[in-house]
Amino acid sequence: MIDERILVAAGRVVTCDPARASEADPLGVLEDGAVLVAGGLIAAVGPRAELAARAPDARLVAAADAVITPGLVDAHTHAPWMGSRDGEYALRMAGADYEAIARAGGGIVASMRAVRAATVEGIARALRARAARMAALGVTTIECKSGYGLDEASERKQLEAIAEASTDPLAPRLVPTYLALHALPPEARPDGATPAARSAYARIVAERWLPAIAAAGLARFVDAYVDREAFSVDDARLVLGRARALGLGVRLHVGQFADVGGADLAAELGAASADHLEHVGPEGARALAAAGTRAVLLPVASLTLRQEPPPVATLRIAGVRLVVASDANPGTAPTESLPLALALAVSSYGLTVAEALLGATREAAASLGLATATGVLAPGLEADLVVWDLPHENALVQPWGTSRARLVLRGGRALACGSGSSVP
Ligand code: NIG
Ligand code: FE
């Protein structure tokens, strides 16, 4: 019942609230704390005894040996994908090269064929199922990119499927991102993926497709894949500059395989995020910090591609705020699990648990323009929270591959989770 008042209490309440945080306690943890939920919003956060006295009529959901965190925010996913690339995955695991497979007409273009063959309803159904599985892992907000349509109608179809799947209040909140600049479709490269062919495609996206998407209100962000075998800085500037002029936010895939100046472009455009960044230098990092552009780290992708981690120390020293996301996609990130990405961010990238957790809550929400809605446990925000069947927040990055989310609320309502999660 959305009108009912609920007092959710646990041994540790990890608020992620900067107003409660300190150098010694970056997560702003309350011991024996509680969150009072009313009308779908957080009414109060504080000591359990104090809130229980203040709201004696509230339904109590208490677990002394549990941890409460904000609902997790997955700020980079390709969740509306279709089909399977299991054959290609097997080849890659046996040593085949990701960029070479793409050059030969596989990779992103293989997923494109599956999306083009699907209906809006079919994509929405697949997305809903995926989002429900992500909710069972503690995720209450999912950024969803298009990018597997690669023609006007099919890119739009993916965004319409996101809009369709967004209507369910008992599912994670979905944030739509337009990623037409993900790969060059076959019909746009009769003579191969030349720079001229890429620029011509970028012009069509900027001048024709994007304005219609913006007018229909189908996207909140626009993304572009900038890399040595993807789009150039100039191609991306054309599309993302138009996105800014149309009032949309900007995010970029940059430096996944090579530093071709993508971080500088992200800073120049005042992008909300620059994602991947396995290849970025100190100057690019400083530019991101100065622009307030967050770095979205995607450890599942770099692990799958057997890459070195991004230069986390360089980003930290520059003062770039860090986000961690799943990158859920059928090519580089064969997972739907943000908790797995957090575990890898700590074990492979050397993030502290606090950095990783903030990167999947407060910093992720801020990168999606949702800082006043979610990502922090503080009065006035949406009651998006997770009760974890774990004794301490440090245990959130263990055990790998198992969901320990006991209760997942979005806007005060228990999300329809998979069978692994029991909702009291
Ligand atoms: O974030 N490299 C670009 N985009 C995706 C992969 C997409 C795919 O292979 O389907 C990424 O890694
Ligand atoms: Fe991606």
Side-chain angles (χ1 to χ4, degrees), residues 5-421:
R5 291 212 292 177
I6 313 169
L7 189 64
V8 192
R12 295 182 70 79
V13 176
V14 178
T15 67
C16 300
D17 183 354
R20 288 186 191 272
S22 64
E23 206 171 315
D25 174 24
L27 292 170
V29 178
L30 263 165
E31 287 184 27
D32 284 324
V35 180
L36 181 63
V37 176
L41 299 178
I42 297 174
V45 180
R48 172 181 172 168
E50 197 181 301
L51 295 197
R54 184 170 143 188
D57 59 317
R59 180 158 74 98
L60 181 66
V61 178
D65 58 344
V67 174
I68 302 176
T69 68
L72 301 185
V73 176
D74 197 337
H76 181 138
T77 88
H78 301 259
W81 60 271
M82 298 297 282
S84 172
R85 279 158 51 196
D86 51 279
E88 171 191 309
Y89 186 76
L91 288 175
R92 291 216 333 272
M93 293 306 102
D97 177 68
Y98 178 78
E99 288 174 298
I101 287 174
R103 234 177 282 134
I108 294 168
V109 167
S111 298
M112 175 207 81
R113 288 190 279 272
V115 162
R116 286 189 180 178
T119 60
V120 171
E121 293 69 35
I123 301 172
R125 207 176 312 118
L127 176 57
R128 269 203 206 94
R130 199 162 280 139
R133 292 191 294 270
M134 293 163 107
L137 297 164
V139 175
T140 53
T141 301
I142 307 169
E143 186 258 8
C144 296
K145 302 179 195 296
S146 69
Y148 291 127
L150 307 181
D151 65 27
E152 183 169 20
S154 307
E155 283 291 312
R156 190 180 176 117
K157 189 165 63 177
Q158 278 193 289
L159 294 180
E160 284 171 350
I162 299 167
E164 167 81 33
S166 292
T167 55
D168 184 356
L170 295 181
R173 172 188 300 104
L174 306 181
V175 179
T177 295
Y178 188 56
L179 176 57
L181 239 58
H182 198 194
L184 202 56
E187 65 274 12
R189 46 169 142 161
D191 304 315
T194 60
R198 290 189 185 283
S199 302
Y201 177 75
R203 266 197 308 280
I204 292 171
V205 173
E207 287 164 19
R208 291 204 228 140
W209 303 357
L210 174 59
I213 293 297
L218 282 167
R220 212 174 298 167
F221 290 92
V222 179
D223 194 341
Y225 177 22
V226 176
D227 218 304
R228 63 184 179 196
E229 298 210 18
F231 292 91
S232 71
V233 161
D234 287 342
D235 296 337
R237 186 186 284 113
L238 190 69
V239 172
L240 300 177
R242 176 60 66 93
R244 296 303 316 253
L246 291 166
L248 298 171
V250 163
R251 349 182 49 84
L252 290 101
H253 283 68
V254 297
Q256 188 178 16
F257 295 97
D259 183 358
V260 297
D264 297 289
L265 176 67
E268 173 194 318
L269 292 166
S273 73
D275 307 29
H276 285 289
L277 293 170
E278 279 79 3
H279 300 270
V280 65
E283 279 185 26
R286 278 194 292 274
L288 292 176
T293 299
R294 286 174 171 76
V296 178
L297 306 179
L298 305 166
V300 178
S302 65
L303 181 81
T304 306
L305 293 167
R306 300 187 174 126
Q307 294 176 314
E308 290 297 311
V312 171
T314 304
L315 294 167
R316 262 198 210 112
I317 289 165
V320 182
R321 288 177 176 260
L322 305 179
V323 174
V324 180
S326 72
D327 198 13
N329 78 74
T332 63
T335 189
E336 296 169 342
S337 175
L338 183 51
L340 175 64
L342 296 182
L344 293 174
V346 170
S347 71
S348 308
Y349 285 8
L351 265 65
T352 64
V353 170
E355 280 177 322
L357 254 181
L358 290 171
T361 54
R362 183 179 84 206
E363 298 306 321
S367 87
L368 294 174
L370 294 174
T372 56
T374 193
V376 168
L377 297 176
L381 272 69
E382 298 278 324
D384 294 356
L385 62 84
V386 185
V387 181
W388 301 92
D389 182 20
L390 293 166
H392 193 280
E393 59 278 12
N394 285 342
L396 268 160
V397 294
Q398 314 158 314
W400 291 17
T402 305
S403 177
R404 301 298 292 270
R406 189 186 290 184
L407 172 66
V408 184
L409 298 185
R410 174 192 165 193
R413 299 182 208 236
L415 294 192
C417 292
S419 53
S421 151

